[in-house]
Amino acid sequence: RQVTALRTPAAQVAVLQAAATIAADRLGDRQRARVLLERALDLDPLHPELFQQLRALYEAAQDRAAVAALLARRATGVSLEESGKLRLERVALLLGPLGDRAAAKRELALLLERDPNDVGALARLAVMQVEDGEFAAAAELSIRQARFERDPAALGECFLRIGRLYLRHLDDHRVALGAFERVLRIDPSNREALEALAERYAADNETRKALAVTERLIEQESDPARRMPFLLRQATLWERGGDARRAGV
């Protein structure tokens, strides 16, 4: 009754918020609190506290669809950075509890339309394209991510993805080698990159490089059974290079 008597949206929002608190905390009526907060959010769609309170109620009721809709609604009116985070949260819900992969892809595409350099969206969509067998599209997205990614761990994962794509699916070993080499600049002990480089260098008769990388694998591996293939490869490389003594050792 008080809300209907008030004339300014700010005053109405304050009263609706107070009523929702009473409904939830004093009466234990979360559904009534939800309706009141939804009315308040209609009056002030960008009110941060209303968004958090309403989201908490939706999550308590395990209403994932309502959370996803709320995230989409807020993402339209906030900064580009916050919008990206909200849309990625929505994508996680669509891929997880809501099981709507097509909607998740549309959400990521929409996010990239607004911000083509959003590294989180680029990475998520690239992984989905790999899962769907769209390897060329995944590689393009990953290369775009690599240009703008600033987090070392995420950048390392990005170059690993590029290396796998070009080694296993796109048949461009030069690009794959470059990607795995970039991984080692970020993480010199990365096992996957070391093994991939050792194999490719050996196959391409880059004996000196293959020996150096294989030596690093031998130093890393303490288990005798897993160490043996690297020792055998190193022996073969020395033999190929004409150094029978080192091959024998």
Side-chain angles (χ1 to χ4, degrees), residues 89-130:
E89 286 187 61
R90 176 172 159 79
V91 167
L93 284 172
L94 290 168
L95 287 174
L98 298 178
D100 193 340
R101 189 177 182 85
K105 273 194 167 183
R106 288 195 299 271
E107 189 72 31
L108 289 167
L110 180 62
L111 176 51
L112 289 172
E113 279 181 21
R114 291 191 63 197
D115 183 4
N117 304 336
D118 187 301
V119 291
L122 288 167
R124 195 70 193 84
L125 189 55
V127 170
M128 291 181 71
Q129 297 288 40
V130 171

Side-chain angles (χ1 to χ4, degrees), residues 211-223:
L211 281 166
V213 176
T214 305
E215 183 62 34
R216 287 163 70 178
L217 285 165
I218 292 168
E219 290 171 358
Q220 268 191 23
E221 186 56 73
S222 58
D223 181 83

Side-chain angles (χ1 to χ4, degrees), residues 200-215:
R200 280 315 319 163
Y201 287 151
D204 294 343
N205 292 317
E206 295 272 4
T207 304
R208 183 181 58 81
K209 290 183 177 180
L211 281 166
V213 176
T214 305
E215 183 62 34

Side-chain angles (χ1 to χ4, degrees), residues 4 9 51 54 62 66 80 88 103 106 112 117 126 131 142 145 154 157-158 187 190 220 232 236 239 249:
T4 60
F51 168 71
L54 198 50
Q62 297 187 349
L80 205 59
L88 285 176
R106 288 195 299 271
L112 289 172
N117 304 336
E131 293 166 351
S142 300
Q145 180 195 351
E157 284 298 319
C158 179
D187 178 10
N190 185 279
Q220 268 191 23
L232 289 170
T236 302
E239 190 174 21
V249 171

